[in-house]
Amino acid sequence: MQNARTPTCSVKGDGSVRRAQSARPFVHVLADSSDKLSGICSALEQQFTVAGERLDAEAKLTQVPFAVVIRAELRHVDNIAAIKKRSARLAKAIKRIFLVEHPSHVCVSQAYALGATLVLSGPLNKIKLLAALAEQAEPTADSAGGSTQPDNAAEAAATAIASMFTAVTMGEPLDVDGTRDAGRKIAERISEHGLSEWLTAVRRHHEGTYQHCLLVTGVAIDFGLSLGVGRADLERLYSAAMFHDIGKARIPLAILDKPGRLDAGERAMIETHPVVGYDFLKDHEKISPEILDAVRHHHEYLDGSGYPDALAGGSINDIVRILTIADIFAALIEHRHYKPTMPRAEAYSILCGMTGKLEKALVTSFRDVALSR
């Protein structure tokens, strides 16, 4: 490592990038312009061996990279076609990071549909990109047994969520069966490897709204398993968790992913998402009344202080009560680049302090889920 030479990364006339041989991890870069290509290479060349090419050039990748970084306008069909042409080889990379310049649901969803394991939106941020690449398959404090499992379940679930958001924003058909199947894969993975391993995998590859949906689904599944719910109820629970925030597809990412406190107008917009999601799903023949109820009411509290309908007590059904606890806990332990991740014990203490809002018996039962390793 210490004797590795600094790789060169100059753009050649054919749209490719020349790199020097090095013992450092190999990162392949794809971009839709020479300026973008050079900018990413300059950001990476001190720590990685870098090679790359413009998307309009002939595909030249001859070895499997540790990671692929793609910076391109995903609203252009030619760029999408060029990425798809390379998809078979790109899929072999451990990390596939898309740098999306326009932070919209459509572009983020398109990136995940093209196989992204992580999407970073906005202008090129060298610090965030290097941090994302540095997080290799290293175990964290939340990893189960110090091992990392393949992330096919996380990728399938992220793709399903991307499909849902695209359906809402573009008016396309909703793939209910695909979403339910993705939830089933998460349930199988958690049953085999536990919740902690799932939390680690999701935090490694996703952020923002997508991370939250995946965390909520995993926490809800583990909670359901710990309560001993039957197979049919578990399916309803993970389906409700996958769909619960679908209404956020109508809320700008600038508000959803805003660091710091929301103002009154932004908060009011955020609070529209349960009804928006409910209205989008209510006429779909494959969405059951229990799931619709969970989508609309997962922010209701037993004391009537929640939204959108200020339900109280017995008006809130069991699936909603379970999902609400999973939703709050997942929000507390999310990994955000602008704040440290809250320890699970601290997050559970906050749940315990929500007296009157959450069912006490369920919060007590949730302890083993919250504090499991």
Side-chain angles (χ1 to χ4, degrees):
M1 291 281 187
Q2 293 178 343
N3 295 326
R5 292 173 291 170
T6 300
T8 59
C9 198
S10 58
V11 179
K12 300 193 291 186
D14 63 357
S16 64
V17 171
R18 183 186 301 109
R19 66 180 178 85
Q21 295 298 318
S22 170
R24 291 179 287 189
F26 170 38
V27 178
H28 188 70
V29 179
L30 291 169
D32 56 4
S33 74
S34 295
D35 288 344
K36 293 178 184 177
L37 194 61
S38 295
I40 298 172
C41 289
S42 296
L44 302 181
E45 62 185 4
Q46 295 300 316
Q47 296 186 30
F48 300 94
T49 296
V50 184
E53 61 205 28
R54 291 197 307 262
L55 286 170
D56 59 357
E58 181 182 354
K60 295 181 179 297
L61 181 60
T62 58
Q63 67 182 98
V64 177
F66 152 67
V68 176
V69 177
I70 300 174
R71 187 183 183 195
E73 173 54 77
L74 296 183
R75 294 177 296 183
H76 293 171
V77 294
D78 289 344
N79 289 339
I80 294 173
I83 296 170
K84 286 182 176 179
K85 183 178 180 180
R86 297 165 165 86
S87 61
R89 187 168 291 275
L90 298 181
K92 297 178 181 179
I94 295 173
K95 289 178 176 289
R96 297 180 294 280
I97 301 175
F98 280 62
L99 307 181
V100 176
E101 298 168 30
H102 300 283
S104 68
H105 289 298
V106 173
C107 290
V108 173
S109 296
Q110 183 64 71
Y112 281 118
L114 289 168
T117 58
L118 176 66
V119 178
L120 300 177
S121 59
L124 175 63
N125 185 316
K126 178 179 177 179
I127 295 175
K128 287 180 65 176
L129 179 56
L130 288 174
L133 288 168
E135 294 174 359
Q136 302 183 32
E138 298 173 355
T140 68
D142 269 340
S143 62
S147 63
T148 301
Q149 304 298 327
D151 291 319
N152 56 324
E155 292 180 24
T159 300
I161 293 169
S163 176
M164 285 193 298
F165 275 53
T166 298
V168 176
T169 56
M170 304 296 289
E172 297 178 357
L174 182 66
D175 184 6
V176 175
D177 292 335
T179 302
R180 186 175 290 117
D181 184 61
R184 178 184 57 77
K185 289 178 180 177
I186 298 173
E188 291 173 351
R189 177 161 168 172
I190 289 175
S191 295
E192 183 176 356
H193 301 295
L195 178 62
S196 292
E197 187 273 335
W198 175 251
L199 299 182
T200 299
V202 170
R203 287 171 178 155
R204 181 179 297 116
H205 293 302
H206 302 284
E207 63 176 34
T209 302
Y210 285 70
Q211 179 191 154
H212 177 70
C213 290
L214 296 173
L215 292 178
V216 172
T217 302
V219 172
I221 287 170
D222 200 51
F223 195 10
L225 291 171
S226 74
L227 292 171
V229 303
R231 181 174 179 177
D233 283 335
L234 185 66
E235 181 178 302
R236 280 189 282 270
L237 183 57
Y238 64 63
S239 296
M242 288 288 288
F243 283 115
H244 83 287
D245 270 349
I246 191 172
K248 287 183 177 178
R250 295 276 175 84
I251 298 173
L253 287 176
I255 294 178
L256 288 178
D257 297 336
K258 178 182 177 181
R261 187 177 298 274
L262 300 175
D263 63 32
E266 292 167 337
R267 171 53 58 187
M269 180 171 287
I270 286 283
E271 292 184 359
T272 66
H273 79 269
V275 173
V276 170
Y278 172 86
D279 287 342
F280 180 79
L281 295 171
K282 66 182 180 181
D283 296 324
H284 201 293
E285 60 181 9
K286 292 186 177 181
I287 301 294
S288 69
E290 294 92 345
I291 294 174
L292 286 174
D293 186 40
V295 169
R296 185 178 181 102
H297 295 132
H298 62 277
H299 284 289
E300 302 284 4
Y301 292 136
L302 296 178
D303 63 1
S305 64
Y307 65 90
D309 299 318
L311 298 184
S315 298
I316 303 174
N317 72 35
D318 289 342
I319 287 181
V320 175
R321 295 179 188 215
I322 293 171
L323 182 60
T324 298
I325 291 172
D327 186 37
I328 296 169
F329 184 74
L332 292 170
I333 65 170
E334 283 177 28
H335 174 71
R336 295 293 185 111
H337 63 85
Y338 51 80
K339 70 178 182 68
T341 302
M342 181 181 291
R344 288 161 65 175
E346 183 178 340
Y348 180 65
S349 294
I350 290 176
L351 289 177
C352 292
M354 296 179 69
T355 305
K357 296 181 180 296
L358 305 175
E359 185 177 333
K360 184 176 180 180
L362 281 177
V363 173
T364 299
S365 297
F366 187 69
R367 184 180 187 279
D368 290 341
V369 175
L371 304 183
S372 65
R373 303 310 299 172

